[in-house]
């Protein structure tokens, strides 16, 4: 048999030298990718798949006879199974059909090109007559001779287009060995772009231009093009593109590009796909979830959203779902729900909505002097000698706490325990849920002007110049701190140290256990009205217009912050960022470590009167004023965002006295000094949608 194959090959080479390739042979080359050998014995490596069909002399397939072999052209030397395993025992008249498929760029062959975008492979097809089959078999065997020194290799290449970019696809790679039978591959492999479009499920009529009848000679031109070899076609296309107008090139791109797009996310293993998605911003993840069903499954991954929540500072996985699933039975990631809820709350804070604030009317026309809220309870104290407990959900006054014989000037609250200080020189401990007065704390000899609660201890400061440390559970006075020579106006307590500021221009640091004054911080030239203490730094605000930063351990003054023009009435400290409100109608943001003023919150939308109170949370600054407004500012940029509250009587006597804010609520105490605005509380809830869904779930 070898002699016969060798003889036919020699006859074929002689025929080519004499007459050259025929027209039919050139046409067959168009559909084939040939194995080329470099001079000097070095071969170009291509990936080759051999599909071998064994037929007996009756034409039936033997041994269910197909095998798929991947190797490089440089490794084909000899196939011993052709001469030994296969030919032996099958008889001389048994038919051996060999098809070579060269695959430079391979994808999952289980799906047609266009879904998985398999690079069209060129297949050497057997001729119809037996002599043609013998010639093809001889050419195949002869072309791979002389390569016995290399081993059979298998390598898989990624799909890439002409520009080196990967082709996206809408489906995942096959699992398992990744191969189907050669017959399925041959049937699924398109040979022209038109076949590719049909394999992708597109109509062949899609791109027909309706500008008129086709030009004369079009069919002849197409037949000529089809007769050319591959390189000749490429050259012709290059010349054609150079002669096209921009609109015509754009038309070609619109036709071609969609056929070579691949969904690379769906092609990756789930772990890698999720890793890629971690680089997307949450907003982009939400958009990606709308791409297709598989992307939605990935974008709902709970661990992925937990990481996004961590990046955004969301620390709790909320127990309720933010919205109903579009598809019944499809679960929404709890962490995704938590993120969406926080995003909605943030948007409500920054942009607001059309909902009117809930109005809680009480205390008649008296001034609300202090305000606290915890959970769904709000507690307001007034100079009418009472405190009122309100429901933040319904807006109803649940109970009125009576017992003080003088105006209430300060209060603190933890869970349902309320402590109040009054001009009647006492402190009272209340149970906000029952309305009972648990303890009455006697000891001060003048108005209790300030207090600070930490754990089960509260420290009170009085106009009698002393501070007292009380046990809230027992109602017992544990320590008395003396040293100020004027009224104590403000106090801070972190459980270890007490810091106080007074009308004697002094700031003092105390050890409450020993009742010793550790440091007297001197530097202010007027009354000290406000304090902040984080355990390391003490920050004091004074009527002398300055703010001073002190080291709590050494007592040294680290920074003097200047810029305000009047009394600093309130401050908030987080890490090294300080926000201060002043009677000069401005709010300033400082870096206490450098002493730099980062922002002055003013401009066209600034307050028109003294700042009465401020808070900052969620990267936002809230400030209230005698001008009857509550303004919202961006802490990072210092930009005014909006007026959260604007009283009808603003500018003509309306005042917002106090504000308290949590992540989801804002409570404002408002009224007037001339009767133009009735005393009331305004409650704004920025998580109403979430609470409604939580209630519906229950």
């Amino acid at each position: 048999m070898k002699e016969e194959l060798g003889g036919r090959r020699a006859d074929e080479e002689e025929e080519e030298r004499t007459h050259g390739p025929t027209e039919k042979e050139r046409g067959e080359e168009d559909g084939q990718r040939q194995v080329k050998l470099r001079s000097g014995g070095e071969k170009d490596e291509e990936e080759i798949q051999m599909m071998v069909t064994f037929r007996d002399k009756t034409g039936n397939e033997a041994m269910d006879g197909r095998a798929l072999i991947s190797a490089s052209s440089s490794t084909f030397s000899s196939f011993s199974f052709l001469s030994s395993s296969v030919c032996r025992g099958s008889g001389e008249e048994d038919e051996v059909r060999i098809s070579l498929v060269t695959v430079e760029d391979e994808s999952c062959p289980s799906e047609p090109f266009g879904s998985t975008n398999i690079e069209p492979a060129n297949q050497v097809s057997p001729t119809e007559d037996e002599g043609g089959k013998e010639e093809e078999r001889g050419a195949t065997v002869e072309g791979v001779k002389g390569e016995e020194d290399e081993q059979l290799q298998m390598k898989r290449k990624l799909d890439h287009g002409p520009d080196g970019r990967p082709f996206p696809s809408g489906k995942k790679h096959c699992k398992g060995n990744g191969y189907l039978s050669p017959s399925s591959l041959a049937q699924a492999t398109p040979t022209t772009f038109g076949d590719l479009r049909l394999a992708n499920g597109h109509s062949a009529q899609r791109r027909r231009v309706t500008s008129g009848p086709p030009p004369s000679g079009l069919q002849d031109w197409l037949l000529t093009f089809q007769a050319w070899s591959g390189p000749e076609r490429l050259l012709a296309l290059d010349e054609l593109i150079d002669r096209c107008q921009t609109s015509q090139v754009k038309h070609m791109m619109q036709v071609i590009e969609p056929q070579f797009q691949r969904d690379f996310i769906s092609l990756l293993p789930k772990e890698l796909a999720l890793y890629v998605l971690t680089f997307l911003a949450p907003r982009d993840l939400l958009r990606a979830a709308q791409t297709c069903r598989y992307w939605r499954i990935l974008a709902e991954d709970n661990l992925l959203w937990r990481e996004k929540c961590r990046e955004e500072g969301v620390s709790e996985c909320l127990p309720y779902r933010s919205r109903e699933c579009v598809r019944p039975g499809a679960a929404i990631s709890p962490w995704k729900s938590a993120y969406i809820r926080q995003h909605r709350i943030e948007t409500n804070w920054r942009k607001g909505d059309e909902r009117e604030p809930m109005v809680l009317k009480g205390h008649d026309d008296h001034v609300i002097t202090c305000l606290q809220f915890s959970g769904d309870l709000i507690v307001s104290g007034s100079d009418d000698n009472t405190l009122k407990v309100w429901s933040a959900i319904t807006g109803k006054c649940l109970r009125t706490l009576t017992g003080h014989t003088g105006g209430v000037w300060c209060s603190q609250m933890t869970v349902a325990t309320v402590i109040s200080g009054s001009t009647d020189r006492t402190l009272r401990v209340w149970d906000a849920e029952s309305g009972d007065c648990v303890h009455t704390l006697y000891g001060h000899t003048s108005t209790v002007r300030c207090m600070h609660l930490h754990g089960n201890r509260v420290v009170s400061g009085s106009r009698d110049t002393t501070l007292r440390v009380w046990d809230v559970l027992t109602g017992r006075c544990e320590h008395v701190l003396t040293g100020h020579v004027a009224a104590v106006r403000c106090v801070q307590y972190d459980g270890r140290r007490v810091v106080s500021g007074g009308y004697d221009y002094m700031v003092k640091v105390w050890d409450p256990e020993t009742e010793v004054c550790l440091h007297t911080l001197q530097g202010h030239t007027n009354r000290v009205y406000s304090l902040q203490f984080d355990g390391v730094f003490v920050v004091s605000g004074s009527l002398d217009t300055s703010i001073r930063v002190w080291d709590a351990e050494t007592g040294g003054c680290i920074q003097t912050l200047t810029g305000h023009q009047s009394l600093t009435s309130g401050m908030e400290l987080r890490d090294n960022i300080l926000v201060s409100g002043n009677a000069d109608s401005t709010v300033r943001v400082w870096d206490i470590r450098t002493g730099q003023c980062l922002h002055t919150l003013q401009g066209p939308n600034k307050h028109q009167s003294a700042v009465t109170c401020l808070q900052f949370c969620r990267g936002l600054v809230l400030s209230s004023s005698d001008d009857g407004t509550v303004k919202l500012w961006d802490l990072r940029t210092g930009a005014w965002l909006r007026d959260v509250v604007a009283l009808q009587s603003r500018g003509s006597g309306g005042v917002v006295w106090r504000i308290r804010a949590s992540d989801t609520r804002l409570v404002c105490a408002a009224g007037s000094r001339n009767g133009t605005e009735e005393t009331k509380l305004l409650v704004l809830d920025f998580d109403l949608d979430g609470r409604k869904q939580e209630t519906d779930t229950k």
Side-chain angles (χ1 to χ4, degrees), residues 554-576:
T554 66
C557 181
I558 300 173
Q559 301 287 350
T560 300
L561 312 179
T562 58
H564 282 303
Q565 305 301 315
S566 186
L567 162 70
T568 299
S569 54
M571 297 185 296
E572 287 279 327
L573 178 64
R574 300 276 178 87
D575 298 323
N576 62 314

Side-chain angles (χ1 to χ4, degrees), residues 419-420 425-429 439-441 444 448 451 460 470:
I419 303 98
S420 58
R425 306 176 226 176
T426 66
L427 287 85
R428 286 179 179 262
V429 180
H439 301 292
T440 301
L441 312 181
H444 284 297
V448 179
M451 67 174 65
S460 58
W470 310 83

